[in-house]
């Protein structure tokens, strides 16, 4: 199995992780492509997650923007309200096949922690979530959610007390206890085989979307658009369309207060090539190679790197990576609420923000699919503060 995507990806890890990753790679190859595994996985996606998710024609948003026809891939309708559950169920099912009793994960804002705790409860696994102390203070309700779901949440108190230290702590634990423990990674990032494995569990998004658009329109879309944090919802939508040269593919990173402000999360547009979390990819780093903190209004996009396959797709020019600021994303957020009665996640609103500026320039007979990666209930506090500050609805 190729560990790289062109010059990106790989396995840049300490010696103590080589063996657990080799064991994981072997199990992934042996089980995940077997009919038995695929059937059970599919059954959980249908009966627990609620797949296939809808492909919804957004008529009023289309009329409002006056350009291409807009379809939304409704990952927000999945159980737990986002695409993350597709991946978590796949990985925990694999952990079961491997005979593990316990899963661990790290979490920043808490979304991946809640998804992992959900999957652990579903499969009767012990679950420990590592979370920075500062993040635990900021995300009290998500900590409580994880505990209700039966997970132990361990505070990581050193350093900045945020995601970076939580990741280090989870890797430490994985090295020490991989005999009974599986590390569930939340996006298409990390050392091989994680980026490949996460893609495998998210590619259902694009496979469904393709069948659905062929069914209603009789042809492929002209554009597909997704937001990019680590890149899992995006690669999930993109994967099945990459071979279709006529489909233009767009990944939207979070530009925060603008790339020139330095406060952003654009690993591609505002970063450089380096090593982060065991992979070679585009990262946000200073001249000495130290990771710069990422900023975005959306907690799910403020990751200072990007999955290695995206770095490769950027290199070969197959996917166009763009960026959208907080303000542009919140305009997309507001417009979807008001035209369609759907409150989107602020992450997904970055894809909508791009559509707000670009779809009006497209032809009316063109077709766009936007990945609505999650619902916005979790973001109502953030949206409240933002709209209050900017004088909306008051
Ligand atoms: C976590 C999250 C993201 C960002 O993660 P990716 O791996 O880039 O998909 C995007 N949207 C939602 C709703 C999320 O919860």
């Amino acid at each position: 199995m190729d560990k790289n995507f062109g010059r990106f990806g790989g396995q840049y890890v300490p010696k103590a992780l080589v063996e657990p990753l080799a064991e994981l790679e072997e199990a992934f190859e042996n089980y995940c492509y077997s009919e038995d595994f695929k059937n059970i996985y599919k059954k959980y996606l249908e009966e627990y997650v609620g797949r296939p998710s809808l492909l919804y024609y957004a008529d009023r948003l289309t009329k409002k923007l006056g350009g291409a026809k807009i379809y939304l891939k409704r990952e927000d309708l999945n159980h737990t309200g986002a695409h993350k559950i597709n991946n978590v169920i796949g990985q925990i099912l694999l952990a079961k096949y491997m005979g593990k009793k316990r899963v661990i994960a790290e979490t920043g804002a808490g979304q991946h922690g809640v998804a992992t705790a959900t999957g652990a409860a579903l499969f009767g696994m012990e679950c420990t979530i590592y979370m920075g102390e500062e993040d635990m203070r900021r995300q009290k309700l998500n900590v409580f959610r994880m505990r209700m779901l039966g997970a132990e949440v361990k505070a990581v108190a050193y350093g900045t007390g945020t995601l970076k230290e939580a990741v280090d702590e989870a890797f430490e634990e994985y090295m020490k206890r991989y005999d009974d423990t599986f590390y569930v990674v939340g996006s298409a990032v990390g050392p091989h085989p994680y980026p490949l494995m996460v893609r495998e569990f998210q590619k259902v998004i694009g496979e469904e979307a393709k069948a659905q658009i062929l069914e209603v329109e009789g042809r492929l879309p002209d554009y597909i658009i997704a937001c990019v944090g680590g890149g899992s919802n995006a690669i999930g939508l993109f994967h099945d369309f990459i071979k279709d040269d006529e489909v233009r593919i767009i990944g939207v990173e979070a530009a925060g207060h603008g790339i020139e402000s330095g406060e952003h999360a654009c690993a591609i547009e505002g970063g450089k090539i380096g090593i982060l979390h065991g992979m070679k990819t585009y990262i946000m780093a200073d001249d000495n190679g130290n990771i710069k903190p990422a900023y975005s209004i959306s907690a799910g996009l403020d990751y200072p790197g990007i999955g290695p396959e995206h770095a490769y797709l950027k290199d070969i020019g197959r996917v166009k990576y763009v960026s959208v600021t907080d303000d542009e994303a919140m305009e997309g957020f507001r417009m979807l609420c008001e035209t369609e009665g759907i409150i989107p996640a602020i992450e997904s609103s970055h894809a909508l923000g791009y559509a707000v500026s670009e779809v009006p320039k497209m032809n009316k007979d063109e077709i766009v699919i936007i990945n609505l990666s999650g619902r916005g209930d979790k973001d109502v506090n953030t949206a409240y503060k933002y709209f209050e500050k900017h004088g909306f609805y008051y």
Side-chain angles (χ1 to χ4, degrees), residues 5-287:
F5 299 94
R7 59 189 173 129
F8 300 104
Q11 242 176 27
Y12 297 85
V13 294
K15 251 202 164 91
L17 267 176
V18 171
E19 207 175 294
L21 289 174
E23 180 198 72
L24 176 63
E25 181 177 1
E26 195 188 328
F28 171 57
E29 275 189 290
N30 284 345
Y31 298 127
C32 294
Y33 300 104
S34 73
E35 286 310 308
D36 181 58
F37 184 97
K38 285 197 280 191
N39 287 335
I40 296 173
Y41 176 55
K42 186 162 182 280
K43 203 169 142 66
Y44 278 105
L45 289 186
E46 288 172 4
E47 295 176 8
Y48 187 74
V49 177
R51 304 203 71 91
S53 67
L54 298 174
L55 185 72
Y56 167 71
Y57 172 55
D59 186 39
R60 292 195 68 230
L61 181 62
T62 297
K63 291 198 172 109
K64 171 108 182 166
L65 293 178
K69 289 176 86 168
I70 301 169
Y71 285 86
L72 303 174
K73 182 60 175 159
R74 299 288 308 275
E75 293 300 298
D76 62 314
L77 296 176
N78 293 341
H79 174 53
T80 66
H83 67 291
K84 284 192 173 71
I85 192 80
N86 304 327
N87 168 50
V88 160
I89 287 185
Q91 286 192 42
I92 301 184
L93 186 60
L94 177 59
K96 266 249 119 51
Y97 269 69
M98 292 170 76
K100 309 287 184 192
K101 296 196 312 286
R102 174 172 175 256
V103 295
I104 58 170
E106 88 297 320
T107 198
Q111 293 311 115
H112 176 54
V114 171
T116 303
T118 302
L122 174 66
F123 288 103
M125 292 279 216
E126 279 174 52
C127 179
T128 303
I129 305 293
Y130 295 88
M131 193 168 183
E133 210 174 45
E134 178 58 28
D135 283 338
M136 281 178 72
R137 248 193 303 279
R138 287 192 290 221
Q139 300 289 341
K140 273 199 185 107
L141 278 181
N142 274 340
V143 173
F144 182 61
R145 274 193 187 95
M146 291 182 255
R147 287 180 174 149
M148 282 196 296
L149 292 162
E152 174 194 21
V153 183
K154 269 202 174 150
V156 183
Y158 59 91
T160 57
T162 60
L163 182 65
K164 186 186 170 303
E165 289 80 19
V167 173
D168 293 343
E169 205 59 23
F171 270 122
E172 273 299 311
E173 178 71 4
Y174 183 42
M175 285 178 207
K176 281 190 291 212
R177 266 192 71 174
Y178 73 93
D179 56 317
D180 75 343
T181 297
F182 187 103
Y183 182 12
V184 180
V185 170
S187 187
V189 299
H192 175 78
Y194 281 105
L196 212 57
M197 183 162 68
V198 174
R199 182 187 81 193
E200 188 63 26
F201 295 138
Q202 292 290 1
K203 70 177 188 186
V204 63
I205 301 173
E207 288 173 352
E208 284 176 9
K210 184 185 271 188
Q212 289 165 321
I213 200 75
L214 288 174
E215 171 87 30
V216 289
E217 292 281 354
R219 70 176 184 90
L220 293 174
D222 298 284
Y223 297 87
I224 59 174
I225 306 172
C227 68
V228 179
S232 71
N233 88 89
I235 205 68
L237 177 66
F238 297 170
H239 182 65
D240 204 40
F241 290 99
I242 287 177
K243 55 187 175 293
D244 304 312
D245 290 333
E246 68 269 41
V247 179
R248 276 160 286 185
I249 307 181
I250 293 155
V252 185
E253 288 193 291
H257 293 138
I259 294 183
E260 64 297 340
S261 75
E263 295 178 350
H264 63 83
C266 296
I268 283 190
E269 253 187 285
K272 55 179 83 167
I273 294 171
I275 310 280
L276 174 69
H277 298 150
M279 60 181 165
K280 184 188 276 184
T281 187
Y282 285 95
I283 60 172
M284 293 173 51
D286 64 21
D287 292 336

